[in-house]
């Protein structure tokens, strides 16, 4: 995967950071550290990859691709058969397949569940944590997912909204956002030992005419 330099995320003042970020693939296995609930590979997107992503956004039929199985040639073939403008989408297909294979290798699984969608509205607009062990997310175009440092979360506010629930965000200006191209592993409450510390995150708000191309991968 390409390397990219990026400014470090600021540390919280009251606790060690529970996230790791960097421009090399070696940052992703840090998700196995007990203290880490977010690992982010910062990377730029090549012009060829962006061309394939833009082709998905410009098509009249919204893209919604779901797939489960062993990553490899079958995934590549299904992507090429489904994506719009397959003639320019080869680099996008290869990037998706590479990330799926990396996910399977990292979590020692034979299969993964993958979703690739063009979204024109927030999918999960309320802050929440996933009830699963881990998920890979990357946004190819549009704003990235938003997340909260643990020191800015009131977990009593999570779950279905009710009038008596407190606000989830406890610090003004605490909300962080992933950038387009970033590859992030989000640890959920289904990770053994992390039941009360799943990363709190949400989908970003989208302006009119600002769609988003999002991919997620789960170990299956």
């Amino acid at each position: 995967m390409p390397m990219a330099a990026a400014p470090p995320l600021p540390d919280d003042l009251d606790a060690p950071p529970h996230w790791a970020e960097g421009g090399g693939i070696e940052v992703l296995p840090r998700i196995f550290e007990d203290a880490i609930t977010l690992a982010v590979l910062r990377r730029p997107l090549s012009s060829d990859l962006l061309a394939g992503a833009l082709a998905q956004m410009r098509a009249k039929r919204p893209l919604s691709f779901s797939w489960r199985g062993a990553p490899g040639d079958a995934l590549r073939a299904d992507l090429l058969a489904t994506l719009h403008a397959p003639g320019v989408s080869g680099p996008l297909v290869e990037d998706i397949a590479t990330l799926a294979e990396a996910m399977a290798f990292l979590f020692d699984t034979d299969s993964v569940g993958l979703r690739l969608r063009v979204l024109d509205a927030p999918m999960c607009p309320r802050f929440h944590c996933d009830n699963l062990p881990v998920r890979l997310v990357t946004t190819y175009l549009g704003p990235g997912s938003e997340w909260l440092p643990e020191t800015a979360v009131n977990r009593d506010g999570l779950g279905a909204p009710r009038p008596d629930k407190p606000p989830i965000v406890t610090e003004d200006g605490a909300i962080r956002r992933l950038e387009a191209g970033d590859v992030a592993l989000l640890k959920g409450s289904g990770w053994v030992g992390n039941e009360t510390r799943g990363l709190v995150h949400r989908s970003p708000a989208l302006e009119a005419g600002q769609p988003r191309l999002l991919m997620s991968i789960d170990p299956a």
Side-chain angles (χ1 to χ4, degrees):
M1 291 184 186
M3 305 283 286
L9 293 169
D11 289 352
D12 289 313
L13 298 178
D14 299 326
H18 56 88
W19 60 89
E21 60 90 23
I25 190 69
E26 66 276 359
V27 72
L28 294 180
R30 292 200 60 192
I31 198 68
F32 290 100
E33 298 178 20
D34 289 343
I36 299 298
T37 59
L38 172 67
V40 183
L41 169 62
R42 302 273 188 192
R43 60 172 193 160
L45 298 176
S46 69
S47 58
D48 288 346
L49 204 163
L50 283 172
L54 281 168
Q56 311 315 310
M57 310 287 261
R58 292 170 176 165
K60 293 181 180 180
R61 177 171 53 86
L63 175 70
S64 182
F65 176 81
S66 297
W67 194 90
R68 179 179 292 266
D73 290 343
L75 172 59
R76 289 175 171 87
D78 284 351
L79 281 166
L80 284 171
T82 304
L83 294 188
H84 305 301
V88 298
S89 298
L92 177 61
V93 168
E94 191 58 34
D95 190 72
I96 292 169
T98 298
L99 291 177
E101 289 167 351
M103 193 70 168
F105 175 80
L106 192 60
F107 292 97
D108 192 23
T109 180
D110 292 332
S111 62
V112 298
L114 185 151
R115 291 185 294 179
L116 178 70
R117 287 165 290 181
V118 172
L119 304 171
D120 57 9
M123 186 172 57
C124 301
R126 180 175 168 80
F127 276 114
H128 66 284
C129 58
D130 295 329
N131 187 27
L132 46 74
V134 66
R135 170 167 287 164
L136 181 150
V137 298
T138 190
T139 300
Y140 286 107
L141 287 172
S145 300
E146 296 178 343
W147 61 278
L148 289 171
E150 189 63 28
T151 55
V153 174
N154 182 349
R155 290 184 177 269
D156 290 339
L158 295 174
R162 296 197 312 266
D164 60 333
K165 279 197 172 183
I168 297 169
V169 183
T170 63
E171 298 176 17
D172 292 338
I175 299 172
R176 314 285 177 87
R177 175 179 285 180
L178 301 171
E179 301 295 332
D182 289 350
V183 177
L185 291 175
L186 284 59
K187 191 180 286 183
S189 58
W191 186 291
V192 175
N194 197 64
E195 291 83 357
T196 62
R197 296 181 62 251
L199 184 79
V200 176
H201 62 286
R202 71 179 180 186
S203 301
L206 297 177
E207 298 178 3
Q210 183 193 38
R212 179 184 183 214
L213 181 58
L214 172 70
M215 181 178 70
S216 64
I217 306 176
D218 302 337

